[in-house]
């Protein structure tokens, strides 16, 4: 940890939350709805009050709709190697850390290889609905490669939504091209709206044929980011803002970022933890700048509620990620494997049939949650605002359907008698290896979900069950294969009854650790 790292003050963030609410009440901000209790795209399980044309753009996009991420997959093609700025959390040997964890290297592709790969994946994985270009450098610092790929796909796979991610420096010059190819979703990484803060994050940018450094570099970057965002909003492109939370550098400042991007029409704000290790070779890694803890991240996200809609389900994917968020199937689609597939038939009917099936499943999931909320009782001697976090082992489809020992991440739900809401995820090392439990992994799993009262799983062995109980986390397998929200609310109703009966005492939990280091298919296999 660096000597000058400061912890996020939760009290001061709560003050910030009030400030965001004040801005909204006095009429600031754009027309998007969000915040607690409203149709936030990052957390909604339905259209809510969203206009039909916007709902149509987000409902099957796993990043723009939290609920969609249980069912639909995205893929990235790594066609954009160059970058026009330097971030202190990035090492150019690896992928752009704005959208991927440091320490991950992707297989770089030409636009032709990329198009072939997309068609191959789409024919194998009908739930793949979105193609994104997120590096390994900056999508718009490589405009020819990015737009050649997008234009070919707009023609050959018209049902796939197109998405890209950028640091924003080149964005204003490329808005016309973005609109020309119907790229409906653009992510801009914005870590500051104050160049003095920016100077601690960006040592230089490449601008107007020369390298610009210091506060001036951040001033130019900031102006280009704001202009690009305003231009996209004016053209009806949905814009997501990614911000990397760097404790002691921009933690409280992100509340102001949230307010400023909402004013300019940002649809969604994704606040991600800095992942920083010396072995990544980044400036922050080498100077010992730490990332936030789980509760520090949540405090900043909570303080931004009421501003731009929040995304909390980002997995900081790699630039060649394939699959549901949180899973990595890129190893199944390497260039040699795609070549071996021969001619690829793009089966639009199969894809549409799958998507219709998912729509029905989503409706049952939503109804199960409504029923479980209606079944919550008022209990006289229980605090009506009692809220807990729960960890869930899931393989997708919105169900509790994974064994404890097979989980490489747990989804985290915040539950009280009025809601069961996804608030994040925690990556962990696999507990089960070749059919046997690895007891030395358990302490790190407990640290990752230490702020949770219970963990919902499809199945769990006796040994981890006992250790979790000893750590104060209740292992729960009685809701195996049920929808997550229904299962969480049912457990919570039962938990409150047990407290009311005097069987249990409610004890607040502590903080949890965010796992550092990159997750790669190879690392998963080794784990
Ligand atoms: Fe990719 Fe990004 Fe498009 Fe999604 S990822 S370009 S918006 S299709 Fe998604 Fe991955 Fe987080 Fe990005 S989970 S890193 S937010
Ligand atoms: Fe690295 Fe991405 Fe920053 Fe460029 S924009 S320096 S690739 S993190």
């Amino acid at each position: 940890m660096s000597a000058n790292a400061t912890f996020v003050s939760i009290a001061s963030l709560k003050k910030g939350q009030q400030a965001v609410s004040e801005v909204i009440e006095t009429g600031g901000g754009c027309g998007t709805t969000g915040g607690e209790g409203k149709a936030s795209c990052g957390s909604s399980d339905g259209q809510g009050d969203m206009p039909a044309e916007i709902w149509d753009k987000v409902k099957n996009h796993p990043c723009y709709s939290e609920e969609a991420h249980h069912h639909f997959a995205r893929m990235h093609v790594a066609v954009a190697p160059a970058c026009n700025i330097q971030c202190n959390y990035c090492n150019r040997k690896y992928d752009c850390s704005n959208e991927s964890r440091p320490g991950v290297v992707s297989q770089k592709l030409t636009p032709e290889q990329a198009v072939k790969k997309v068609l191959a994946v789409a024919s194998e994985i009908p739930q793949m609905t979105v193609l994104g270009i997120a590096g390994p450098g900056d999508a718009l610092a490589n405009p020819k490669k990015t737009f050649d790929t997008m234009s070919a796909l707009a023609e050959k796979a018209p049902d796939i939504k197109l998405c890209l991610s950028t640091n924003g420096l080149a964005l204003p010059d490329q808005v016309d091209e973005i609109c020309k190819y119907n790229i409906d979703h653009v992510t801009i990484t914005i870590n500051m709206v104050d160049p003095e803060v920016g100077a601690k994050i960006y040592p230089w940018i490449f601008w107007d044929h020369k390298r610009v450094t210091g506060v001036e570099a951040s001033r130019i970057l900031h102006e280009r980011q704001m202009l690009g965002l305003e231009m996209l909003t004016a053209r009806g492109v949905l814009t997501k803002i990614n911000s990397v939370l760097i404790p002691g550098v921009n933690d409280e400042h992100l509340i102001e970022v949230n307010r400023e991007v909402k004013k300019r029409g940002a649809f969604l704000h994704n606040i991600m933890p800095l992942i920083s290790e010396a072995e990544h070779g980044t400036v922050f890694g080498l100077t010992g700048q730490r990332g936030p803890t789980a509760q520090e991240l949540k405090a900043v996200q909570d303080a931004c509620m009421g501003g731009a809609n929040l995304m909390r389900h980002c997995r900081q994917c790699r630039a060649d990620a394939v699959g549901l968020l949180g899973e990595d199937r890129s190893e199944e689609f390497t260039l040699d494997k795609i070549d071996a597939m021969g001619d690829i038939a793009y089966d639009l009917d199969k894809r549409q049939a799958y998507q219709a099936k998912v729509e029905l499943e989503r409706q049952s999931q939503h109804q199960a949650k409504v029923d479980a909320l209606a079944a919550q009782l008022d209990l006289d001697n229980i605090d009506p605002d009692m809220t807990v976090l729960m960890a869930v082992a899931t393989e997708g489809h919105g169900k509790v359907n994974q064994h404890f020992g097979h989980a490489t991440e747990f989804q985290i739900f915040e539950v009280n008698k009025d809601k069961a809401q996804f608030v994040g995820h925690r990556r962990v090392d696999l507990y089960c290896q070749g059919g046997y439990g690895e007891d030395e992994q358990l302490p790190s799993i407990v640290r990752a979900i230490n702020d949770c009262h219970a963990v919902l799983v499809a199945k769990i062995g006796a040994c981890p069950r006992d250790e979790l109980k000893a750590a104060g986390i209740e292992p729960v397998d009685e809701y195996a294969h049920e929808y997550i929200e229904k299962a969480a609310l049912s457990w919570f109703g039962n938990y409150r009854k047990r407290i009311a009966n005097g069987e249990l005492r409610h004890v607040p939990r502590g903080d949890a650790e965010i796992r550092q280091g990159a997750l790669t298919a190879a690392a998963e296999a080794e784990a």
Side-chain angles (χ1 to χ4, degrees):
M1 188 189 305
S2 83
N4 61 1
T6 54
F7 285 82
V8 180
S9 140
I10 292 180
S12 61
L13 291 174
K14 287 200 170 134
K15 266 188 254 146
Q17 181 173 13
Q18 199 181 354
V20 170
S21 310
E22 279 160 12
V23 167
I24 290 157
E25 278 159 21
T26 53
C30 73
T32 53
T33 57
E36 216 157 7
K38 288 196 179 177
S40 154
C41 45
S43 59
S44 165
D45 56 0
Q47 182 174 348
D49 54 0
M50 210 180 280
E53 69 278 10
I54 307 274
W55 175 240
D56 198 47
K57 285 182 185 172
V58 304
K59 68 178 184 198
N60 293 354
H61 194 307
C63 303
Y64 280 68
S65 158
E66 185 278 306
E67 191 263 336
H69 102 280
H70 298 287
H71 304 281
F72 293 106
R74 53 75 187 100
M75 72 174 287
H76 289 163
V77 284
V79 294
C83 190
N84 46 7
I85 71 171
Q86 179 64 55
C87 306
N88 277 337
Y89 46 75
C90 178
N91 176 350
R92 292 298 177 72
K93 250 172 54 194
Y94 304 121
D95 287 1
C96 172
S97 333
N98 283 336
E99 281 258 338
S100 70
R101 284 183 291 276
V104 173
V105 191
S106 298
Q107 190 176 27
K108 294 184 188 68
L109 303 179
T110 64
E112 295 71 32
Q113 289 168 325
V115 170
K116 191 166 181 201
K117 180 170 178 178
V118 174
L119 298 177
V121 171
S123 62
E124 285 288 309
I125 308 181
Q127 62 267 48
M128 194 280 280
T129 48
V130 177
L131 177 275
I133 297 183
D138 183 78
L140 297 181
N142 303 263
K144 181 153 177 22
K145 290 175 180 149
T146 293
F147 292 120
D148 281 355
T149 308
M150 294 298 199
S151 70
L153 285 171
E155 189 190 315
K156 292 187 174 156
D159 66 315
I160 294 179
K161 288 187 175 19
L162 303 177
C163 193
L164 63 78
S165 159
T166 176
N167 59 47
L169 185 63
L171 177 59
D173 304 331
Q174 304 293 349
V175 169
D176 283 346
E177 287 291 284
I178 287 171
C179 295
K180 185 168 153 192
Y181 299 114
N182 291 331
I183 300 168
D184 279 340
H185 301 79
V186 171
T187 296
I188 315 172
T189 299
I190 300 181
N191 294 318
M192 53 86 200
V193 289
D194 174 353
E196 297 284 344
V197 175
K200 298 176 191 159
I201 304 170
Y202 305 106
W204 57 261
I205 65 170
F206 196 77
W207 175 245
D208 201 16
H209 309 289
K210 57 183 182 298
R211 191 176 280 218
V212 182
T213 59
V215 176
E216 176 65 0
S218 288
R219 187 190 61 73
I220 295 167
L221 180 63
H222 165 60
E223 287 174 5
R224 300 286 292 172
Q225 290 175 335
M226 295 298 121
L227 176 62
L229 170 57
E230 286 167 4
M231 290 172 76
L232 290 174
T233 301
R235 303 284 288 268
V237 178
L238 286 190
T239 312
K240 171 167 74 63
I241 306 304
N242 279 1
S243 298
V244 181
L245 194 167
I246 310 161
V249 174
N250 69 350
D251 34 20
E252 297 190 35
H253 182 63
L254 288 183
I255 297 164
E256 198 182 339
V257 171
N258 181 276
R259 189 185 301 140
E260 292 300 320
V261 300
K262 177 173 171 108
K263 256 197 244 169
R264 290 169 175 81
F267 185 70
L268 195 57
H269 191 191
N270 170 26
I271 300 176
M272 313 181 290
L274 171 72
I275 293 176
S276 178
E277 289 280 291
E279 74 217 40
H280 301 146
T282 62
V283 170
F284 282 155
L286 294 170
T287 56
Q289 170 65 54
R290 70 177 181 91
T293 68
Q295 287 300 310
E296 285 171 341
L297 175 65
K298 187 169 181 298
V300 176
Q301 291 170 330
D302 288 350
C304 291
M305 293 285 281
N309 295 319
L310 287 181
M311 173 185 189
R312 299 183 192 236
H313 60 282
C314 175
R315 302 303 201 276
Q316 292 169 274
C317 321
R318 46 192 290 168
D320 61 358
V322 175
L324 292 173
L325 305 190
E327 75 175 0
D328 181 8
R329 297 181 61 179
S330 53
E331 290 296 310
E332 293 170 42
F333 299 97
T334 52
L335 283 180
D336 48 337
K337 287 180 186 155
I338 290 167
D339 279 344
M341 287 178 189
D343 285 343
I344 294 156
Y346 189 72
D347 192 341
L348 190 57
D349 289 345
K350 181 173 152 196
R351 293 173 55 73
Q352 285 172 339
Y354 177 84
Q355 288 168 27
K357 204 173 111 203
V358 167
E359 200 46 52
L360 291 176
E361 197 168 47
R362 286 169 101 156
Q363 285 165 17
S364 335
Q365 183 177 0
H366 180 67
Q367 192 55 49
K369 177 177 172 179
V370 169
D371 294 345
L373 279 169
Q376 294 293 310
L377 300 173
D378 282 323
L379 296 169
D380 287 344
N381 52 346
I382 301 285
D383 175 2
D385 296 326
M386 180 196 290
T387 300
V388 299
L389 293 182
M390 300 179 70
V392 180
T394 175
E395 289 175 336
H397 301 281
K399 290 186 174 166
V400 181
N401 55 6
Q402 192 172 43
H403 291 202
F404 177 83
H406 297 167
T408 52
E409 70 163 37
F410 289 95
Q411 296 191 355
I412 307 297
F413 281 73
E414 190 166 54
V415 186
N416 62 32
K417 75 179 186 47
D418 301 315
K419 71 173 184 192
Q421 187 182 359
F422 179 99
V423 291
H425 74 284
R426 307 282 163 72
R427 290 187 294 132
V428 294
D429 292 324
L430 260 186
Y431 174 73
C432 186
Q433 315 219 350
Y436 298 95
E438 266 317 308
D439 291 337
E440 53 272 31
Q441 307 289 26
L442 255 181
S444 72
I445 297 175
V446 168
R447 285 198 297 277
I449 59 171
N450 187 49
D451 47 358
C452 297
H453 278 78
V455 54
L456 298 180
V457 297
K459 205 170 174 185
I460 184 166
C463 188
R465 181 186 290 274
D466 291 345
E467 291 218 26
L468 284 166
K469 274 191 200 159
I473 302 168
E474 186 174 319
V476 182
D477 59 3
E478 65 197 88
Y479 302 105
H481 302 285
E482 293 193 19
Y483 287 119
I484 295 170
E485 292 93 342
K486 174 182 182 278
L489 286 162
S490 302
W491 177 85
F492 184 67
N494 184 267
Y495 178 71
R496 291 167 76 238
K497 273 189 219 154
R498 285 184 287 158
I499 295 168
N501 295 340
E503 278 175 56
L504 277 182
R505 200 165 59 86
H506 177 64
V507 182
R509 303 286 306 164
D511 203 347
E513 267 179 21
I514 293 176
R515 185 181 181 280
Q516 299 292 298
L519 177 73
T520 61
E524 263 182 81
E526 279 163 23

